[in-house]
Every structure is written in C-alpha cells, then in structure tokens.
Amino acid sequence: GLINEIGLKENQVYITSPVKYLPKRGTPSKSQIDHCREHFSEQIKIINPKILVLLGSTAIQAVLEEKVPIKSEHGKIVSKDGKTYFLTLHPAAGLRFPPLKKLLEEDFLKLKEII
C-alpha cells in the first residue's frame, strides 16, 4: 500500500478514524463529527504523533474543525495547536476516480520527503 511505498512499516504508523460513525449513506453529519472530536483528541494526546495525515474532507473537518476544499488543498501541511497535519485525499476517492489516485500517490511522495 501507500504506507509501504514511502518506506514506512505498518508498525511505525497508527491508523484510526477521527469519526467513528459510518452512516448507511453519505458522510457523517456535523453533530456526529463534533461528538467524536473529544475521543479522538484524547487518542492523539496519548499517541503524540509526529505528523497526522488527514485522509479526506470528513477527517479534515473533524480534526481541524473547518471545511477545506480538499481537491485544491491536498498535499499541504497545516499547523494547528502545536500539531502538524498533512492534508490529502481519502483513498476511496482514488479507487472511485482513477485520476485522483495519481494525486494521492503524489501526495504520499511529498509525505515521504517530510518524514
């Protein structure tokens, strides 16, 4: 996968979702996203990662508490509250829309340079 392709091993990363709800259709609601933020914040305090990779607009909204146009902002680094975040597309977008897969792969190459 993308993690291995940039030279990381799975035991070097922690994968979680800032939103624990998976609606039957669409994306989680704002209230679901807000509810999960507290639990996610506690996880991050314990893990204390060097960089958080936010995959897709729902993760970005959940963690940064703002909507970000991911198609134009992917591949960027954001600092907030003493943490470093790398914004990219959700892998499912790359599976559904092949041109986005190339963007996701390019973002992970940028991430490799950062770490």
Side-chain angles (χ1 to χ4, degrees):
L2 290 169
I3 293 169
N4 300 118
E5 287 177 24
I6 62 169
L8 291 174
K9 295 183 174 118
E10 289 186 24
N11 65 356
Q12 294 176 292
V13 299
Y14 180 78
I15 299 172
T16 189
S17 176
V19 182
K20 307 297 189 231
Y21 296 100
L22 184 59
K24 290 181 182 179
R25 298 183 72 194
T27 58
S29 68
K30 183 177 180 335
S31 64
Q32 290 172 324
I33 290 171
D34 291 343
H35 178 258
C36 292
R37 189 173 293 117
E38 181 179 337
H39 302 290
F40 180 74
S41 295
E42 289 301 315
Q43 277 185 308
I44 296 307
K45 284 179 192 174
I46 293 166
I47 298 162
N48 194 26
K50 177 181 175 184
I51 188 166
L52 289 95
V53 179
L54 301 179
L55 301 170
S57 58
T58 299
I60 293 167
Q61 183 181 351
V63 177
L64 299 181
E65 299 182 58
E66 61 184 89
K67 288 193 175 199
V68 173
I70 191 60
K71 286 185 184 173
S72 62
E73 298 297 309
H74 71 91
K76 295 193 177 174
I77 297 174
V78 174
S79 295
K80 183 177 181 181
D81 301 326
K83 299 284 183 204
T84 301
Y85 302 93
F86 184 80
L87 312 181
T88 191
L89 305 161
H90 192 283
L95 292 174
R96 283 187 295 222
F97 307 103
L100 296 181
K101 182 178 180 185
K102 183 166 175 49
L103 296 177
L104 183 64
E105 290 168 346
E106 290 170 359
D107 284 353
F108 266 74
L109 290 175
K110 287 181 193 176
L111 179 61
K112 180 180 182 175
E113 293 173 11
I114 295 165
I115 33 181

